[in-house]
Amino acid sequence: MSKPPSGGAAPQSRLPDLIALAHQTSSEKRRDLLRELTDHFFGAPVHSPNEQQLFDAVLSDLAAEMETAVRAELAARFATSPNAPAALVRGLANDEAAVAEAILRASPVLTDADLISVVRDRGQAHILAVSERSTVSEAVSDAIVERGDDDALHSLLRNEGARLSRAGAEAAVERAKSNPALHEATVSRRGLAPDLLNEMYFVVEARLRQQILDQNAALDPDLVESALAAGRARVAVGDGAFPADYAESLAYVEELKAAGQLSPQMLARFLRSGGRTSFLIALSQLADVDFHTARQIIERREIDALAVICKAANLDRALFLTYAVVLLNTERDAMARAHGYARMYAELTQEAAMRTVRFWRLRRGAQAA
């Protein structure tokens, strides 16, 4: 077979001859023809509309009859071509995963509609490949969040070229909350709205909690305000009923407050005497968070979160240490752990704590509404 002249396009007269050979019935000859047609396509920088249609029709027909390895080779050749025949590319994108993945990861010919169709109609290997594209639009990302498994969502969250709509980000965070494998990718997601980032605080490990606090400390004040506004628009409280002694404890706390006797020291007395509900009410008022957030922190012994609340309220470190020791008193290493949290308390800035607490207050605002 003669080759095109060096540095020039393939002779155009060869194309009709190659098209004519498509009527050959030999699978070996048709395989050779497929490869020669592909070479011919890439040998000319520009094709007329009629030639493009011919290439598309014949290459698509030939590819459909080839075994997987040949189709995968074809997909690899056309994956990055901006002028690849559209029907051929769509066919390869909907082929089995071994063929489709190269096209789905890279082809600039595929439209958002093409990609969304693949995400909705094909399997998880196809969806994962789409999530790995250098750029992913919000519409395609939303489809991946809805239909993709955790591997695809993890890939999407890690992909800095993937844009997430507000609704898509909310759905991704809801999924991530219950799946530790998604925690780091979610917290590390650049551009994640701060209110959504802070929703992850109570479900992630200590290292990621610190990362959230660090990001809060670096937030632009204007960004904080816009994020809080977005959060208020979607927060719904579903924390459950108040404890049975809530009304009685609230009345007692209000009585102490009116008498000027409600102090941080009084909270320590509540804890030591078993007045858990009174402590929670007083703590929520002192730190200006809702009762359910305070209860979650104390019942789960989230001492690092307690540190955030106490620092935001500008409590003395000794008082925080007292609270921590009382809450941890059933554990053998209670004192050592409490002192570890006290070191964290000393390192935590009040500004970072206050910004974090402002996001937690979203729940209180939703209750009031």
Side-chain angles (χ1 to χ4, degrees):
M1 187 70 63
S2 60
K3 295 183 178 180
S6 175
Q12 295 301 311
S13 59
R14 179 66 176 137
L15 180 57
D17 295 335
L18 292 172
I19 300 296
L21 288 175
H23 297 293
Q24 290 282 349
T25 57
S26 166
S27 60
E28 184 176 348
K29 288 184 178 180
R30 291 169 74 83
R31 186 185 305 114
D32 291 340
L33 172 61
L34 178 63
R35 288 178 174 139
E36 190 169 354
L37 270 172
T38 302
D39 289 341
H40 188 80
F41 178 86
F42 286 106
V46 178
H47 300 288
S48 70
N50 286 339
E51 287 176 339
Q52 190 80 3
Q53 285 184 332
L54 280 172
F55 274 119
D56 209 348
V58 178
L59 287 171
S60 296
D61 287 345
L62 288 171
E65 300 175 5
M66 295 295 104
E67 60 268 30
T68 299
V70 176
R71 300 198 308 277
E73 178 187 333
L74 190 69
R77 290 203 63 181
F78 281 100
T80 58
S81 172
N83 301 315
L88 173 68
V89 168
R90 283 194 294 270
L92 294 171
N94 283 279
D95 207 322
E96 60 184 283
V99 175
E101 287 171 347
I103 289 285
L104 292 174
R105 288 192 185 100
S107 177
V109 174
L110 292 171
T111 65
D112 277 2
D114 294 330
L115 294 168
I116 291 171
S117 177
V118 168
V119 169
R120 297 201 181 283
D121 297 338
R122 305 298 297 176
Q124 293 302 324
H126 291 72
I127 299 174
L128 178 62
V130 175
S131 75
E132 294 170 346
R133 292 174 67 86
S134 60
T135 59
V136 184
S137 71
E138 289 186 358
V140 176
S141 291
D142 287 351
I144 292 172
V145 173
E146 178 185 347
R147 285 270 297 115
D149 62 13
D150 289 338
D151 287 339
L153 181 55
H154 185 275
S155 172
L156 188 73
L157 290 168
R158 286 292 195 190
N159 185 352
E160 295 296 341
R163 301 197 307 274
L164 285 171
S165 68
R166 174 72 193 195
E170 290 174 3
V173 167
E174 285 303 314
R175 286 182 56 181
K177 284 181 183 178
S178 59
N179 187 345
L182 295 172
H183 287 178
E184 182 159 10
T186 305
V187 172
S188 301
R189 170 75 186 178
R190 187 176 301 173
L192 184 66
D195 61 300
L196 298 180
L197 174 67
N198 279 272
E199 285 193 24
M200 297 295 297
Y201 185 90
F202 288 104
V203 299
V204 300
E205 61 178 308
R207 174 178 59 87
L208 295 177
R209 288 185 173 190
Q210 186 60 52
Q211 189 171 322
I212 292 172
L213 292 177
D214 291 343
Q215 291 190 53
N216 286 342
L219 282 176
D220 183 286
D222 291 338
L223 183 58
V224 173
E225 291 304 322
S226 63
L228 288 168
R232 292 187 192 101
R234 66 175 293 272
V235 172
V237 178
D239 296 283
F242 290 104
D245 63 342
Y246 180 83
E248 179 183 356
S249 298
L250 177 61
Y252 179 51
V253 169
E254 293 295 343
E255 182 181 335
L256 290 174
K257 185 191 294 185
Q261 298 177 359
L262 186 64
S263 65
Q265 291 78 11
M266 180 63 73
L267 269 69
R269 293 180 193 171
F270 287 152
L271 269 183
R272 292 193 182 100
S273 64
R276 180 63 60 90
T277 302
S278 295
F279 173 78
L280 291 174
I281 292 171
L283 179 64
S284 64
Q285 292 188 5
L286 187 68
D288 196 22
V289 297
D290 70 281
F291 177 85
H292 296 297
T293 296
R295 178 168 64 177
Q296 175 177 312
I297 290 171
I298 299 306
E299 289 184 352
R300 296 183 182 179
R301 297 186 181 184
E302 304 273 11
I303 308 301
D304 53 349
L306 178 62
V308 172
I309 282 183
C310 291
K311 177 68 77 165
N314 202 27
L315 295 188
D316 184 79
R317 185 173 70 160
L319 275 170
F320 163 71
L321 181 58
T322 299
Y323 300 161
V325 169
V326 174
L327 288 170
L328 296 171
N329 66 355
T330 60
E331 301 182 18
R332 284 184 298 177
D333 58 347
M335 188 61 69
R337 289 190 61 196
H339 279 288
Y341 286 119
R343 286 192 294 273
M344 170 202 167
Y345 190 83
E347 295 170 359
L348 178 65
T349 68
Q350 186 180 20
E351 183 179 16
M354 291 177 67
R355 286 180 176 175
T356 302
V357 168
R358 289 187 71 188
F359 288 108
W360 295 352
R361 287 174 187 157
L362 285 174
R363 302 167 101 191
R364 182 172 183 174
Q367 275 187 310

